[in-house]
Amino acid sequence: MKIKNIRKVFEALTPTNDQKEKIFQNLLTSSQIEHRSQRRTSPIKLRRYTIIAAVLMVGLTTTAFAAVYTGLDEALIQFLKPSNKNQVVHMSNGAYTINKIIKNKQGSVAIKQVIGDSNLTYILMDFTAPKGTILNAARYRFHAHINSNQSSYSTGYEVLDDGNPYDNKISLVMNIMTDNSIAGQTVDIIFRDLEAAAPFPGIFETVVSGSWETSLKLDFKEYSTLYQINQGISLYGYKATLKTISVSPISITLKIESDSLQEINKFAFKSEEIGPNQSLDKLPITINFKDGTSETTRIFTGMSASYYQSNQLITLKTFDNIINDKEIESFVFFGKKLPLNTVPH
C-alpha cells in the first residue's frame, strides 16, 4: 500500500487511539506479508517501510492531537482564552457536542456545545433571526426558564464576535449557575424573546419575539475538584465554617455554614460599585499557584445564595481567563491560609 493511500485511510476514519494503533499495526503487517510473498525485502525496501512507519506515527500523533484539539468549538476557545495547548486539551476532554436546532417563524436557536463544572455550565449557541433583521447590539439575552432538579439557578449571556456584526446572526455563550452540578442531566429549557441593549447602562428591549423550547442532555464531564475544608473562620466578626471549596478551570464555589447567616449577609450581599457594571466581591478568595502567581476574586462575577433553613451560604465566582486548577498551592479566605497539602479532597 502506498503512503498516500494509507494517509487517505486515516483521513477517512476517526478512530480512537487504540483503534489507530491496531489499524497501524494491521496495515504495516499486511504490507510486509504481501511483500514477503513476492520477494525478499531489500535494504532499500526496509528503509522504505521505516519511512512509512515514521510517516504513520507522525500522522497518528497529529491526528490524535487534532481530534482532541478540535473537540472544543473554536468559539469556546476564544471565549475561555486558554493560555496554552494543555488547557485546550483539558477542556476538550469534558466538552459535549449537542448540535440541536430549534426553529420557528421568528428565528432559530442552534445549541452547539456545552462544558461545565460542579456549579457552572456554559452553553454555546447561535441565534439566527429572519432575513432582513440586523443584530448588531452590544448585548443580547433571552428570558430563559430551566426545568431541572436544582432549587435555584442564575443565567447570563455573553455575545461572541462572529466576524460579521451586520447580519441576522449572533453567537452567544449562556451561563447557568447552580447550587450543584447539572452534568449528565436532561433539562427542559424555554428561551423567550431575544432582547438587546447598548453597552452598560443600556436598557434591554425586545428585538425578536418568540419562544424556543427543547430538552437538552447535558452530558459534559465536569472539571471540578472538591476540597473538604471544615475549618472555622470569622466572617465580618461572626463565626462560620468553611465547609468545601470546589474549583475548576472556569469557576470556584465555596459552601459556608453559620448560625449568624442573616448578620453576615448584611455585609456579604451589600453591593459596592467600583466601576461601570462592577461591584466588589464581598466574599473574596485568593488562589495561590505553585509558580508564585495568584488570583483574587476582587470583582464579583457569579452568584451567591443563602439558605436560612440549613444555615448555608453558597458563593460562586467566575474567571476572565480559565485558570490552571492543577497548579494550585493554597487558598486564602478572610485571612486564613489553606495549603492544599493539608486539605483533604
Side-chain angles (χ1 to χ4, degrees):
M1 181 177 289
K2 296 181 179 179
I3 293 175
K4 66 178 183 180
N5 292 332
I6 296 174
R7 277 180 172 160
K8 288 181 180 179
V9 171
F10 278 91
E11 289 171 357
L13 300 174
T14 55
T16 65
N17 289 342
D18 289 342
Q19 289 170 329
K20 289 170 187 170
E21 180 63 26
K22 290 179 181 176
I23 293 170
F24 164 69
Q25 293 297 339
N26 289 339
L27 287 170
L28 191 57
T29 301
S30 297
S31 295
Q32 291 171 333
I33 291 173
E34 179 183 356
H35 187 76
R36 279 199 298 269
S37 67
Q38 297 171 356
R39 69 187 74 181
R40 293 186 62 186
T41 305
S42 68
I44 293 177
K45 295 299 183 183
L46 274 174
R47 285 199 296 273
R48 183 185 174 197
Y49 285 125
T50 303
I51 293 171
I52 291 174
V55 170
L56 280 171
M57 291 312 295
V58 170
L60 285 167
T61 305
T62 304
T63 306
F65 174 73
V68 173
Y69 186 84
T70 57
L72 194 63
D73 193 285
E74 182 65 28
L76 277 178
I77 295 175
Q78 294 179 14
F79 170 73
L80 296 168
K81 297 183 282 290
S83 60
N84 56 57
K85 292 178 181 177
N86 289 335
Q87 288 186 329
V88 175
V89 173
H90 180 48
M91 300 300 291
S92 296
N93 289 336
Y96 179 64
T97 299
I98 296 178
N99 285 336
K100 175 179 282 191
I101 300 177
I102 323 158
K103 292 183 177 179
N104 62 30
K105 293 181 179 178
Q106 290 76 38
S108 64
V109 177
I111 311 293
K112 301 175 70 176
Q113 201 168 51
V114 59
I115 61 172
D117 63 17
S118 63
N119 301 85
L120 174 63
T121 302
Y122 285 133
I123 297 178
L124 175 65
M125 64 176 72
D126 291 338
F127 177 76
T128 304
K131 290 183 178 179
T133 305
I134 303 298
L135 300 178
N136 61 351
R139 296 184 292 161
Y140 286 97
R141 72 181 183 188
F142 287 102
H143 289 285
H145 174 75
I146 303 171
N147 185 13
S148 72
N149 66 358
Q150 299 293 303
S151 58
S152 64
Y153 63 87
S154 173
T155 61
Y157 298 86
E158 184 163 327
V159 181
L160 305 181
D161 182 4
D162 64 0
N164 188 351
Y166 296 105
D167 62 4
N168 59 335
K169 178 183 172 183
I170 52 173
S171 294
L172 301 168
V173 172
M174 175 189 187
N175 66 64
I176 307 173
M177 301 180 188
T178 50
D179 293 343
N180 297 288
S181 176
I182 54 176
Q185 292 186 30
T186 297
V187 300
D188 298 321
I189 300 182
I190 302 175
F191 301 101
R192 286 197 176 93
D193 297 343
L194 180 70
E195 295 183 335
F200 184 83
I203 299 174
F204 280 98
E205 295 181 351
T206 299
V207 292
V208 179
S209 299
S211 178
W212 295 265
E213 181 175 355
T214 189
S215 292
L216 296 177
K217 177 72 171 178
L218 304 177
D219 212 9
F220 61 89
K221 177 184 176 182
E222 72 113 328
Y223 300 100
S224 299
T225 300
L226 181 66
Y227 297 97
Q228 300 288 343
I229 307 298
N230 291 316
Q231 292 202 29
I233 53 176
S234 176
L235 289 185
Y236 296 104
Y238 296 93
K239 289 183 179 180
T241 301
L242 178 58
K243 299 294 292 183
T244 63
I245 296 176
S246 180
V247 62
S248 81
I250 58 175
S251 80
I252 184 168
T253 299
L254 287 71
K255 293 188 177 181
I256 302 161
E257 289 183 1
S258 176
D259 293 332
S260 305
L261 209 53
Q262 293 191 11
E263 290 81 1
I264 291 172
N265 285 347
K266 292 177 182 176
F267 298 93
F269 285 75
K270 183 179 179 181
S271 178
E272 186 176 342
E273 292 190 0
I274 58 173
N277 203 26
Q278 289 186 339
S279 298
L280 278 181
D281 184 0
K282 305 309 289 284
L283 296 168
I285 185 169
T286 295
I287 303 171
N288 293 321
F289 297 96
K290 294 175 183 176
D291 64 0
T293 61
S294 64
E295 174 102 16
T296 300
T297 59
R298 192 175 69 90
I299 298 173
F300 181 70
T301 56
M303 177 192 77
S304 290
S306 285
Y307 301 93
Y308 292 114
Q309 288 187 339
S310 59
N311 289 329
Q312 188 176 64
L313 167 63
I314 298 174
T315 180
L316 179 157
K317 307 150 195 314
T318 63
F319 305 109
D320 289 337
N321 301 340
I322 63 174
I323 64 168
N324 191 344
D325 58 319
K326 304 303 179 187
E327 293 297 318
I328 296 174
E329 183 179 73
S330 65
F331 303 106
V332 179
F333 187 61
F334 276 75
K336 175 160 284 192
K337 188 171 184 178
L338 305 163
L340 281 197
N341 58 4
T342 62
V343 174
H345 287 204

